[in-house]
């Protein structure tokens, strides 16, 4: 199953590399695009849940790494309450 990484920059300038066990994230994010934090979390949740389910379909169990990645994204997002705060997707690889 092809994996995909996506690098993002949080509103405070902090950059992280995120993991997905599926290329599905390329349907939810475009490099160079700014997403309001809530939208980014929502898109991440949907994409990573789909990716985890694809793993379940293929191997019989959900992808804990995808769920760990989602938990990290949700935790980081809690720091940004300003509605104008945005996450930038830097690259998909």
């Amino acid at each position: 199953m092809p994996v995909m990484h996506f690098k993002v920059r949080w509103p405070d300038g902090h950059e992280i590399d995120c993991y997905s066990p599926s290329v599905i994230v390329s349907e939810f994010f475009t490099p160079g695009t700014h997403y309001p934090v809530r939208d980014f979390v929502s898109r991440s949740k949907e994409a990573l849940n789909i990716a985890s389910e694809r793993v379940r379909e293929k191997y019989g169990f959900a992808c804990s790494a995808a769920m760990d990645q989602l938990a990290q994204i949700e935790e980081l997002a809690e720091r940004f309450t300003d509605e104008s705060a945005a996450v930038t997707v830097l690259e998909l690889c």
Side-chain angles (χ1 to χ4, degrees):
M1 183 161 237
V3 303
M4 179 167 272
H5 294 266
F6 52 111
K7 185 173 187 174
V8 302
R9 180 181 305 123
W10 289 90
D12 62 359
H14 179 87
E15 294 180 6
I16 63 169
D17 292 310
C18 300
Y19 167 84
S20 170
S22 168
V23 296
I24 189 71
V25 295
S26 65
E27 296 179 22
F28 288 83
F29 299 117
T30 303
T33 303
H34 309 289
Y35 298 91
V37 172
R38 286 185 184 176
D39 184 35
F40 176 74
V41 171
S42 177
R43 288 169 179 265
S44 296
K45 187 174 201 170
E46 188 172 356
L48 291 170
N49 278 315
I50 292 169
S52 182
E53 284 305 308
R54 287 184 175 181
V55 170
R56 183 189 310 278
E57 290 170 8
K58 185 167 185 172
Y59 299 107
F61 53 86
C63 180
S64 61
M67 296 301 91
D68 290 346
Q69 183 62 74
L70 178 57
Q72 180 192 27
I73 288 169
E74 290 174 330
E75 181 180 331
L76 288 169
E78 289 176 5
R79 300 183 299 161
F80 304 102
T81 57
D82 182 350
E83 292 294 322
S84 66
V87 176
T88 304
V89 175
L90 301 173
E91 65 180 313
L92 302 174
C93 52

